[in-house]
Amino acid sequence: MGTGAVGNSYEDECRRSLAEEQAKSLVGTNDWEHVDRERVHHDWDVLYREITAFLDGGSLPGDQKIQELVRRHFDIVCRFYTPSRKAYVGMSLFYAEDEAMRAFHDSYHPGLVDFLGAAIKVFAEQEAGSPTSAGAEASA
């Protein structure tokens, strides 16, 4: 369930989209001053505990309930800005590749980063045809 080769061109595009979209959003929102970070961290904590329970129960990244949880993750991310699907996949790569982010997520469960990354990729593929993601993709 890993992130694949670092040189993968699609993954490189996703990393680039994440960096560009976040940078634009940070400038446009004064470093996301509108975000209630305490609430965001609380909501992610609750969500990661829920995902961990399903992960321990043998759920798969594409399972409907997991995708509903990933939708909640995406909605929390959207409190900062609405990422394109590539940027959202880029976020999952960042979680896996950044040592501190991997340690944080894997503190909930040793397989959370890889599981969440796979689930985010499924979510992004399913959302590719939706009006929301099409608009986000076009604005990137």
Side-chain angles (χ1 to χ4, degrees):
M1 265 194 240
T3 59
V6 173
N8 176 305
S9 63
Y10 175 73
E11 290 182 354
D12 288 345
E13 287 178 43
C14 292
R15 288 180 192 95
R16 200 168 27 259
S17 292
L18 176 67
E20 291 170 0
E21 292 175 32
Q22 281 187 346
K24 182 178 177 181
S25 176
L26 283 163
V27 167
T29 62
N30 195 27
D31 294 327
W32 296 324
E33 71 179 354
H34 65 285
V35 177
D36 181 345
R37 286 177 169 80
E38 185 175 325
R39 183 70 194 172
V40 163
H41 289 287
H42 171 268
D43 292 347
W44 266 327
D45 179 64
V46 169
L47 179 63
Y48 291 155
R49 290 176 193 283
E50 287 181 54
I51 293 172
T52 295
F54 282 98
L55 200 152
D56 283 339
S59 292
L60 300 173
D63 290 351
Q64 180 179 349
K65 183 59 183 170
I66 297 301
Q67 288 302 300
E68 291 170 8
L69 294 170
V70 172
R71 164 53 75 182
R72 282 178 42 205
H73 182 271
F74 182 79
D75 290 344
I76 295 169
V77 169
C78 289
R79 294 180 200 173
F80 294 88
Y81 76 104
T82 303
S84 68
R85 63 188 175 97
K86 284 184 182 176
Y88 192 46
V89 170
M91 183 176 295
S92 75
L93 296 170
F94 175 68
Y95 288 173
E97 295 165 354
D98 181 84
E99 189 176 315
M101 291 302 285
R102 178 175 279 281
F104 169 75
H105 287 85
D106 281 351
S107 71
Y108 287 91
H109 186 286
L112 182 59
V113 164
D114 292 331
F115 184 83
L116 185 58
I120 285 173
K121 288 175 186 170
V122 170
F123 179 85
E125 289 169 8
Q126 291 176 349
E127 294 294 308
S130 75
T132 302
S133 67
E137 200 69 31
S139 70

